[in-house]
Amino acid sequence: MLDESLLDAPEALARADTCGLLRGAAESGARVRTAARHAADAGVADLKPDGRPRAVLVAGPGAAGSCTADLLGALSGGNIPVSLIGPTGVAPAPGALRWALPGWAGPLDLLVIATPDGTEPGLPRLVEQAYRRGCALVAVAPGHSPLAGAVAQARGLMVPLATSAYGPPGTGTGPAPYGTPPPDEPPNTAATPTRPEDHPQGPPPEGALDEPAPSGGHPHHTTPPHIEPPGTAPDEVTGPALPGTLWALLTPLLMLVDRIGLISAPPAALQQVADRLDRVAERCGPAIATYTNPAKTLAAELAGALPLLWTEGPVAAATGRRFAGLLASLAGRPALAADLPGALAAHGTLLAGAFAGGADPDDFFRDRVEEPEALRARIVLLHDEPVGPVSAVPAARELALAHETAFSELEPDEGSPLERAAELLAITDFAAVYLALAAADRT
């Protein structure tokens, strides 16, 4: 059982936060601004697309690839297929992962690579496949990584990962004060255009980003620069798509798909996203008491519970899947995510069985002092639009009440789809971090 007093003890949370998780969540807005600058310096804003690609293929390790693909697909509204290229291998270690383009991929398609590491040997091999097939290529990764060199040689568009504004413990650059968004990074001016003589293998393949697009239509760029960031902090490569890092990966790709015409993400919209993330960081910081802090409140409600994450809307669905992944990877807690209205049937049996809120063991009088508290289902309703006449949210509420099952509900404030997505992601990121830190403090 979670000791809720820990949530209102900023010193204890800071002591447990050895990996800078709260700092990463708090600086998400700054990551958006820095990543947008890096993407602009790399030439994303200067792309001249001749049309939309047939499909967008996304590759990356773990949640860096899956969350990026999920969110791009949700935000694009199904305008074109966004497909994840899942890795194969004998272990989850970067050196064991391999990626392969689907057999149909070719010059009409766009390959996007997103990784906070860039040392995975399988990703340069994927770049080579894309080069041979003529796929357009964009990558977001640390600028000094082997992947960056492979993308430059393939004449693709390389955007350096926006690193943390604060170094990890021991580097002399301490974390930002908890509960306040950190200042933005200084602009990166170390841009070096890629020269043809740097690529001894010959001219780029048809469909590369620096050549005119073939008939299917791709973004293209005349001289894609290769930018080296100020440095990659070690905390960037310790986990996939952690709070903050996800926005460093996602922001340049939002700018790219805006140029293609899949979604609307102009600079003003990204600034609004950064501002929304800053406001959530102010509301959800460790110094804010639980009763006014939506992330701490959600973390306290999920303590000792089996979360059933019921979502309505594509953005909420992507957020629910990411939240379930963070609960497992950071806090070591199981969670089940499902879309409404299908979730009502898929999880209905859980609400009537041993995990039901009203369930109780047969022997009511036995001594429970030494027994762990029984796990009970708790429904978390996530929806990215106001509840309308055709919404399944009212039916979900009624089902929860009928089975005496507690439920929480998250609905973002008004704004663009990007802003609503940012708010849902930020609150659930903070909640997962608080659960993880409370568990670490107890250990």
Side-chain angles (χ1 to χ4, degrees):
M1 183 65 180
L2 175 68
D3 181 2
E4 294 186 24
S5 64
L6 291 174
L7 296 178
D8 289 324
E11 297 82 4
L13 290 171
R15 185 170 56 250
D17 191 12
T18 57
C19 295
L21 297 176
L22 281 171
R23 183 181 70 232
E27 67 184 7
S28 294
R31 292 288 187 97
V32 170
R33 298 184 185 94
T34 305
R37 280 203 308 271
H38 284 189
D41 291 343
V44 172
D46 299 326
L47 294 174
K48 301 177 179 64
D50 291 337
R52 294 178 179 178
R54 175 178 59 181
V56 176
L57 303 170
V58 182
S66 61
C67 289
T68 299
D70 210 4
L71 287 166
L72 285 178
L75 291 166
S76 68
N79 290 327
I80 64 169
V82 178
S83 303
L84 173 69
I85 302 177
T88 60
V90 297
L97 298 178
R98 298 292 183 269
W99 288 264
L101 288 174
W104 49 264
L108 302 180
D109 306 305
L110 169 64
L111 173 63
V112 169
I113 299 177
T115 173
D117 190 338
T119 63
E120 303 89 347
L123 289 178
R125 295 189 180 99
L126 180 64
V127 169
E128 184 180 354
Q129 295 177 45
Y131 179 95
R132 292 198 305 266
R133 304 242 198 127
C135 297
L137 174 64
V138 176
V140 182
H144 294 284
S145 63
L147 176 63
V151 172
Q153 285 213 339
R155 305 296 293 274
L157 182 61
M158 174 65 203
V159 180
L161 184 74
T163 58
S164 171
Y166 293 86
T171 62
T173 55
Y178 285 136
T180 58
D184 210 353
E185 284 187 70
N188 179 16
T189 58
T192 304
T194 302
R195 299 170 299 172
E197 57 267 28
D198 293 334
H199 308 286
Q201 78 277 10
E206 182 183 5
L209 289 180
D210 57 346
E211 294 294 335
S215 58
H218 289 297
H220 62 270
H221 187 57
T222 53
T223 53
H226 175 63
I227 305 174
E228 300 294 348
T232 302
D235 61 333
E236 295 299 334
V237 299
T238 56
L242 293 175
T245 305
L246 175 64
W247 287 104
L249 296 168
L250 186 62
T251 301
L253 303 181
L254 292 174
M255 296 176 64
L256 174 69
V257 295
D258 173 75
R259 297 296 300 167
I260 296 173
L262 294 185
I263 67 172
S264 177
L270 293 178
Q271 180 61 48
Q272 291 173 342
V273 168
D275 293 343
R276 179 71 67 97
L277 290 170
D278 286 347
R279 289 196 294 271
V280 174
E282 292 172 355
R283 293 166 54 204
C284 297
I288 308 302
T290 299
Y291 67 91
T292 59
N293 187 321
K296 286 184 178 182
T297 299
L298 182 58
E301 291 170 345
L302 294 182
L306 172 63
L308 304 181
L309 309 177
W310 292 0
T311 63
E312 186 171 74
V315 169
T319 302
R321 289 187 286 270
R322 171 171 167 78
F323 189 28
L326 283 179
L327 288 174
S329 61
L330 294 184
R333 294 174 177 269
L336 300 175
D339 301 343
L340 291 171
L344 303 178
H347 294 167
T349 305
L350 286 171
L351 303 183
F355 295 104
D360 198 24
D362 294 334
D363 185 5
F364 180 81
F365 297 101
R366 76 179 189 278
D367 185 5
R368 293 175 170 81
V369 173
E370 300 299 328
E371 293 184 7
E373 186 174 352
L375 198 63
R376 296 284 181 253
R378 185 182 187 96
I379 297 169
V380 180
L381 299 175
L382 302 169
H383 45 104
D384 50 43
E385 296 282 355
V387 176
V390 296
S391 173
V393 170
R397 296 170 182 156
E398 292 173 7
L399 184 63
L401 293 173
H403 288 281
E404 301 180 13
T405 301
F407 70 92
S408 309
E409 190 166 344
L410 287 181
E411 179 186 346
D413 293 336
E414 293 183 358
S416 67
L418 276 175
E419 290 179 89
R420 295 196 298 269
E423 183 170 337
L424 284 177
L425 287 166
I427 292 176
T428 52
D429 280 1
F430 270 105
V433 168
Y434 282 129
L435 280 169
L437 297 184
D441 188 85
R442 289 200 311 274
T443 302

